[in-house]
Amino acid sequence: MFRKEIGVDLGTVNVLVHVRGRGIVLQEPSVVALSVDEDKIVAVGEEAKAMLGRTPDLIEVVRPMRDGVIADYRVTEAMLRYFIEKVTGRGFFRPLFKPRIMISVPYGVTSVESRAVHEAGVAAGGSPRDVHLIPEPIAAALGAGLPVETPTGNMIVDFGGGTTEAAVVSMNGIVAANSVRVGGVRMDEAIMAYVRKKYNLVIGEPTAEELKVRIGAGMPLEEELEMEVQGRDMVAGLPRTVRITSSEVTEAIQEPLGAIIGVIRSVLEKTPPELSSDIIDRGMVLVGGGALLRKIDALVTKETGVPSYVAEAPMACVALGAARALDDYNRLRRTIPGL
């Protein structure tokens, strides 16, 4: 009655937490602000993200996750503990009723990387035998409501912040999969580089992300969108405003999108023929924050020839699937190594 069951999508850009019976209860940026002198954590999540590019030298704002894996163990552990305590509370009975936690990890992580995530989950408040890891493609497929337990081909593409993963799932296991360390962060960097090259204007990461979200698209739009951005002129060194169009953002992100399409094609090439026919009939499902980019499903369909559609609530799918995996734990651990 007092024990919570928690699914965690531990992403490069965002952390989402799903609690059984309550749904998604937390969605915050995986960003931490540190005091350089005292080596202490100043802020976590939304509060830390608001400091990006705006802090003095005494405060450093970092992403402890890089390309879907832990880059700074100590900071990741503190961040995860903060989020789990925010969800479970810090009451008197909490040490007696430690939560069951299922944390997603990218496909193909090493045993060292997996162990680091497991240890971070234990340090954040779970007991060693109740903290489990699940590959992101399986969690995403479960969260999207795909029939992963049947002998049919289900293709899932997870557009994350640090990595993009494509996988074919059947019989609770991954038949073919591939990943590339290209995602939302790389798109933001491409937009920053494009604006710097074309307009001699330096913009920050938050501004580039806002451009991507507000007017970005995978293919040219029928009706052009525009947005004003402010930055620093590289020549004069003074603040300047320019107007960016959606077609310019689309042009800027073509290289990272090309790498993502390449990963999807490589998985389709490795898929057994019987499962390929299932995928053509059923289509592939797009999840993750990148799936919210306008016309991304149309781009994937055009480049691969396979129908694709965006899942309902694509950002929540991995956290939701991780929580569902706790319900089916005994069945899933037979087919998923290390679960």
Side-chain angles (χ1 to χ4, degrees), residues 170-246:
S170 178
M171 298 296 292
N172 292 322
I174 296 173
V175 178
N178 201 353
S179 67
V180 62
R181 296 194 169 188
V182 174
V185 173
R186 189 70 63 85
M187 290 186 200
D188 296 343
E189 291 170 354
I191 293 168
M192 290 164 67
Y194 180 89
V195 173
R196 186 167 59 246
K197 185 177 180 182
K198 184 169 183 178
Y199 294 100
N200 279 331
L201 192 74
V202 180
I203 61 172
E205 187 184 319
T207 304
E209 185 182 12
E210 189 181 1
L211 270 170
K212 178 184 69 181
V213 171
R214 287 181 57 182
I215 66 171
M219 294 173 69
L221 300 172
E222 292 79 13
E223 189 175 334
E224 191 89 305
L225 301 174
E226 290 187 345
M227 177 180 156
E228 280 191 350
V229 296
Q230 291 82 35
R232 189 184 76 244
D233 190 293
M234 290 175 65
V235 179
L238 299 172
R240 183 159 64 93
T241 301
V242 298
R243 187 172 286 275
I244 308 289
T245 64
S246 55

Side-chain angles (χ1 to χ4, degrees), residues 5-289:
E5 298 196 337
I6 299 172
V8 181
D9 177 5
L10 187 61
T12 305
V13 174
N14 291 294
V15 174
L16 285 89
V17 178
H18 182 285
V19 176
R20 187 179 181 185
R22 290 171 58 193
I24 298 290
V25 295
L26 183 141
Q27 178 180 336
E28 292 208 35
S30 42
V31 180
V32 178
L34 302 167
S35 168
V36 176
D37 284 355
E38 299 175 351
D39 197 27
K40 286 183 179 177
I41 290 173
V42 176
V44 181
E46 291 286 0
E47 190 182 349
K49 188 182 179 183
M51 299 179 185
L52 268 173
R54 300 169 183 267
T55 58
D57 293 340
L58 294 174
I59 297 176
E60 183 184 11
V61 182
V62 298
R63 294 189 187 275
M65 302 289 295
R66 190 172 300 130
D67 301 328
V69 295
I70 292 176
D72 187 320
Y73 175 78
R74 185 182 65 85
V75 178
T76 302
E77 177 200 310
M79 178 182 74
L80 194 56
R81 186 191 307 119
Y82 171 82
F83 288 143
I84 288 175
E85 284 182 354
K86 197 171 180 180
V87 168
T88 60
R90 304 179 68 174
F92 176 78
F93 290 106
R94 187 172 177 270
L96 302 175
F97 300 99
K98 291 191 174 185
R100 288 183 74 208
I101 305 173
M102 183 73 76
I103 306 174
S104 68
V105 291
Y107 169 77
V109 293
T110 65
S111 58
V112 174
E113 290 166 341
S114 293
R115 198 178 308 118
V117 175
H118 183 269
E119 287 173 1
V122 173
S127 66
R129 62 189 180 85
D130 286 327
V131 174
H132 311 287
L133 309 181
I134 185 169
E136 273 179 26
I138 298 281
L142 285 167
L146 298 181
V148 297
E149 73 283 355
T150 62
T152 54
N154 303 279
M155 185 157 180
I156 193 100
V157 183
D158 183 5
F159 293 85
T163 59
T164 298
E165 300 176 308
V168 176
V169 180
S170 178
M171 298 296 292
N172 292 322
I174 296 173
V175 178
N178 201 353
S179 67
V180 62
R181 296 194 169 188
V182 174
V185 173
R186 189 70 63 85
M187 290 186 200
D188 296 343
E189 291 170 354
I191 293 168
M192 290 164 67
Y194 180 89
V195 173
R196 186 167 59 246
K197 185 177 180 182
K198 184 169 183 178
Y199 294 100
N200 279 331
L201 192 74
V202 180
I203 61 172
E205 187 184 319
T207 304
E209 185 182 12
E210 189 181 1
L211 270 170
K212 178 184 69 181
V213 171
R214 287 181 57 182
I215 66 171
M219 294 173 69
L221 300 172
E222 292 79 13
E223 189 175 334
E224 191 89 305
L225 301 174
E226 290 187 345
M227 177 180 156
E228 280 191 350
V229 296
Q230 291 82 35
R232 189 184 76 244
D233 190 293
M234 290 175 65
V235 179
L238 299 172
R240 183 159 64 93
T241 301
V242 298
R243 187 172 286 275
I244 308 289
T245 64
S246 55
S247 59
E248 289 176 309
V249 178
T250 301
E251 184 185 343
I253 60 177
Q254 282 308 297
E255 187 180 339
L257 284 177
I260 289 167
I261 295 297
V263 163
I264 296 171
R265 281 179 169 162
S266 73
V267 172
L268 288 168
E269 287 167 5
K270 293 189 290 185
T271 304
E274 293 301 321
L275 297 181
S276 293
S277 63
D278 292 338
I279 293 164
I280 291 170
D281 290 340
R282 304 158 73 95
M284 67 177 85
V285 184
L286 313 182
V287 303

